[in-house]
Amino acid sequence: MIKERIILPSQGFPYNGKLEGSSIVVRPLTTRAYKDFLVTPNEEGVLNLVDSCLVDCPLKAEEFVYQDELAIYLKIRSISMGSLLPVYSICPKCQIKNVEDWDIMQLECSYLSMDEYPLTVTLPDSQQKIKLCIPTGKTERIAKEEAQKRASKFERKVSDFLPSFKIATVIIVDGLNDLIEKSEWYNALTLKDAMFIDKVLDAMQDFGIHTSRSVKCKSCSHEYLVPLQI
């Protein structure tokens, strides 16, 4: 069976030495794995699909940062079904439907480069030092599960708790190990400190495959940006 190596957009920084180097090996999708995906065509199904194609990898799909997970998914799609993907769009000027074949293996990609991970930052108001990690599918799942528990307990909406739990799963604060404690710590921050954390996290995640391209309408020649629908 064909096996191919892919260099991860994160270059392995978020995995604290769990990976050897900055790449992993994947194999094509099997018919069984694809049929299983059709039975569970949701986030869990995608994770199971990716897991079935990882070769001797110490990490599960949900442990990868989203940028790596997307790159792995596109690589699996390419070696399983070919790299050309029809992309449909509607011209915003003349409303004509356009279609182009994109080579998903030729999409531009920017790579993460860091001197340390997790990243240590000093909050502007409190001057407290904390460490920040990039979210993964696993941290998102943990945050959602905890938010659902709190929402049920206090008879409130999940959205009332989810934002702070998402932050709590990716921060390291001295003296705080419990997720609820970290959530409460975050909620007690000044707005300036909270916005600073959001800004740093956004900057840390500014890498990966560029999934939008400029296309020219075949009817009116108007150029517009089209996102790749994954």
Side-chain angles (χ1 to χ4, degrees):
M1 181 179 288
I2 298 172
K3 297 178 184 178
E4 292 197 15
R5 184 170 293 276
I6 173 176
I7 298 176
L8 299 173
S10 75
Q11 299 196 88
F13 284 106
Y15 311 121
N16 295 319
K18 292 181 180 179
L19 290 180
E20 293 184 7
S22 59
S23 64
I24 62 167
V25 177
V26 296
R27 59 186 169 220
L29 187 63
T30 64
T31 302
R32 173 177 292 178
Y34 183 62
K35 287 182 177 179
D36 289 342
F37 168 70
L38 293 178
V39 176
T40 315
N42 52 26
E43 183 178 355
E44 180 184 353
V46 173
L47 293 174
N48 291 338
L49 182 151
V50 171
D51 279 332
S52 73
C53 296
L54 299 176
V55 178
D56 298 327
C57 183
L59 298 175
K60 292 290 187 180
E62 73 165 1
E63 297 178 89
F64 286 99
V65 298
Y66 170 75
Q67 294 83 349
D68 288 344
E69 185 186 340
L70 174 60
I72 295 168
Y73 178 82
L74 292 180
K75 184 68 172 181
I76 291 170
R77 200 278 182 191
S78 176
I79 63 176
S80 300
M81 304 171 64
S83 62
L84 294 182
L85 186 68
V87 177
Y88 300 89
S89 64
I90 302 295
C91 175
K93 184 175 182 181
C94 69
Q95 304 303 308
I96 294 296
K97 185 177 183 179
N98 290 280
V99 58
E100 286 188 339
D101 284 334
W102 289 13
D103 188 334
I104 55 178
M105 287 295 96
Q106 296 302 316
L107 295 173
E108 293 184 11
C109 181
S110 53
Y111 293 88
L112 179 65
S113 180
M114 301 186 73
D115 293 327
E116 64 165 344
Y117 191 91
L119 179 66
T120 301
V121 298
T122 302
L123 302 181
D125 262 354
S126 68
Q127 292 298 299
Q128 185 174 4
K129 289 185 182 295
I130 65 170
K131 294 183 179 181
L132 297 174
C133 306
I134 300 173
T136 66
K138 184 175 182 178
T139 62
E140 294 279 329
R141 173 179 58 78
I142 291 172
K144 187 179 297 184
E145 289 174 352
E146 194 60 50
Q148 289 172 337
K149 291 179 185 177
R150 299 287 281 183
S152 297
K153 181 177 180 180
F154 295 103
E155 298 183 349
R156 291 170 59 180
K157 296 182 294 185
V158 172
S159 58
D160 291 338
F161 299 96
L162 189 55
S164 60
F165 277 122
K166 282 187 175 182
I167 296 295
T169 58
V170 296
I171 59 174
I172 300 172
V173 183
D174 285 345
L176 298 179
N177 297 313
D178 182 78
L179 194 61
I180 294 176
E181 289 181 345
K182 287 195 288 186
S183 174
E184 292 174 347
W185 172 88
Y186 173 75
N187 287 329
L189 289 176
T190 63
L191 185 58
K192 184 176 181 180
D193 281 350
M195 291 178 66
F196 176 79
I197 292 175
D198 290 342
K199 184 177 180 180
V200 174
L201 283 173
D202 285 344
M204 289 175 68
Q205 297 178 76
D206 188 20
F207 68 97
I209 293 177
H210 302 177
T211 54
S212 295
R213 284 174 52 180
S214 179
V215 302
K216 180 181 287 187
C217 178
K218 295 177 181 178
S219 176
C220 69
S221 298
H222 176 67
E223 290 191 10
Y224 57 102
L225 197 64
V226 176
L228 177 64
Q229 298 298 322
I230 307 300

